[in-house]
Amino acid sequence: MALKEQFRKITDRIHLAATSARGREVGLFLLFLVISYVFWLLLTLNNESQEDIDVPITIVNVPDSVTFITEVPPVIKASVRDKGSILMRYRFNNSKVMKIEWREYAGKSNDNRFLMGRQDLGARLRDYFGTSSQIVTVAPDSLKLIYTTNPGRRVAVHVNADVRPALGNIVNGPLSLNTDSVTLYSVTDLPHSINSVETLPIIRSKLSDTTSVMVNIKPIDGVRIVPDNVIVTIPVEPLIARSQMAPIVVKNMPAGYGLLTFPSQIEVSYLVPMSAYNTEPYDIKAYVDFADALASPTSKIPVAMSLMPELYRDVTITPDSVEYIVEQRRP
């Protein structure tokens, strides 16, 4: 009920504003403004003007054995002069595709070329737009495409990348591709030395999450690469702190001697990728050298670590030296 009352008050205010002297003046002004716009639109649509229009093209009935080395342009850009109403129709209805028949322009000189000259393309555009339209400029003004019927060669893709994680993160694992190989097509036989391609350089820094990048394959002159781009995924994970105890092992201890360390094990702290946090810890050992005990001027000797897994980052040990007692055992 309250909502209905509020709505009624709003409509009353609008009615009062519209029926007031000021409201009638504003309404009359808006009416003349709309009428002026309609007359301007009618005059504009009836006058001649010039506009750039993209004409979608497609080559039809291409044999399955044919691969274009030169990329077929998706559109022909035509600058057209005609009445505004006709140009507006083309502007808002550009779904009409100009179809070009393959056999009319392919292989005329047996040199693997599809040639559609300026006159032929101009005639097709005049048919496309109609006799009332004047075509001022065309780009491209002709179609000169190279093609091949040779089978392609499948080659591997190598990623050229320099990627760096943000602080507290790690690139965990190799970069992956949505496809590990591409097909190369050429008019002539490809050299046997071409057995792989590489991407254009990927440079990323301060990555804090797994990132996918679309990158083009580095072009090769005279060669069509299908596909010519790949998606590279960079696996990035946060690093998480973890620790474990490692026993101390004495190295180079001669027969008849013993060495006790205090403490007998140390704490090893490090960072691991989040996905490896719950995995079984690596069997880490800490080492002291008996020779260090004999040469040490103090009651402490340094602790060295065993080889650490590559995933363990920023490794620290506590303590980094231990007290010791040398024992001489009776034979």
Side-chain angles (χ1 to χ4, degrees), residues 163-171 204-208 236-237:
V163 294
R164 303 175 187 275
L167 186 66
N169 294 269
I170 185 176
V171 177
R204 295 289 188 277
S205 60
K206 298 182 180 179
L207 296 175
S208 59
V236 179
E237 288 188 49

Side-chain angles (χ1 to χ4, degrees), residues 168-170 237-243 269-278 311-314:
N169 294 269
I170 185 176
E237 288 188 49
L239 291 167
I240 299 178
R242 193 168 76 172
S243 63
S269 300
Y270 49 85
L271 300 175
V272 294
M274 184 171 62
S275 62
Y277 183 79
N278 293 322
L311 286 180
Y312 290 13
R313 302 299 178 96
D314 298 338

